Amino acid sequence: MKELIKKIKISTKNIFIFENHASALLPWGEIRNNLDDEPNLITLDHHTDTYPSFLRYIHGKKGDDNEDLRKELIQEVDFTNIDSLNNAVGLLHHDEHIDAAVKSGMLQYAFCIQFSD
């Protein structure tokens, strides 16, 4: 899955702009590849963005949640491999990207600050 991601540089920082939340795996993978350790994520949003990874894909395939299939899919997420990341982006749906990134070792922790009532 090829997602349009705009990358701009401000001072020494790369900024990535995209629509699909799952596409965050692509720049996060790029960033992670340049670090010795997993970075932490701080996210500000109206909601937490923390559904279990591959939830909708698994539900559509199996009819209910399946933890074994989830673990298998997470093990296939490799931040050093663009094809692996593109495959994951294609299977993830809205709000499942943070869980996938943390459980695959791309991120160490995610601090989700939400503003919903």
Side-chain angles (χ1 to χ4, degrees):
M1 173 182 193
K2 186 71 173 167
E3 175 71 23
L4 179 64
I5 298 177
K6 183 177 181 182
K7 180 178 176 181
I8 59 174
K9 192 170 212 113
I10 298 177
S11 187
T12 61
K13 303 293 180 190
N14 289 320
I15 308 298
F16 301 89
I17 303 167
F18 48 88
E19 285 286 327
N20 177 5
H21 286 193
S23 297
L25 293 184
L26 299 168
W28 290 348
E30 179 180 323
I31 292 165
R32 175 65 180 94
N33 272 321
N34 294 314
L35 299 172
D36 293 330
D37 296 311
E38 303 96 337
N40 294 318
L41 172 71
I42 299 172
T43 177
L44 309 172
D45 203 334
H46 287 284
H47 52 278
T48 60
D49 285 346
T50 55
Y51 284 139
S53 50
F54 306 106
L55 180 68
R56 287 191 215 165
Y57 172 77
I58 291 170
H59 183 75
K61 191 172 185 80
K62 298 289 186 179
D64 61 359
D65 202 5
N66 182 309
E67 192 61 33
D68 291 334
L69 180 54
R70 176 174 288 107
K71 287 178 183 176
E72 186 179 309
L73 291 168
I74 289 170
Q75 287 177 346
E76 293 175 6
V77 178
D78 177 359
F79 64 83
T80 66
N81 183 309
I82 191 68
D83 291 331
S84 167
L85 294 178
N86 277 316
N87 185 57
V89 168
L91 299 179
L92 291 168
H93 292 277
H94 196 64
D95 301 339
E96 301 173 352
H97 56 296
I98 294 173
D99 184 67
V102 171
K103 289 185 177 164
S104 69
M106 194 177 311
L107 298 173
Q108 183 174 12
Y109 296 107
F111 300 94
C112 303
I113 302 167
Q114 58 94 18
F115 299 101
S116 285
D117 294 307

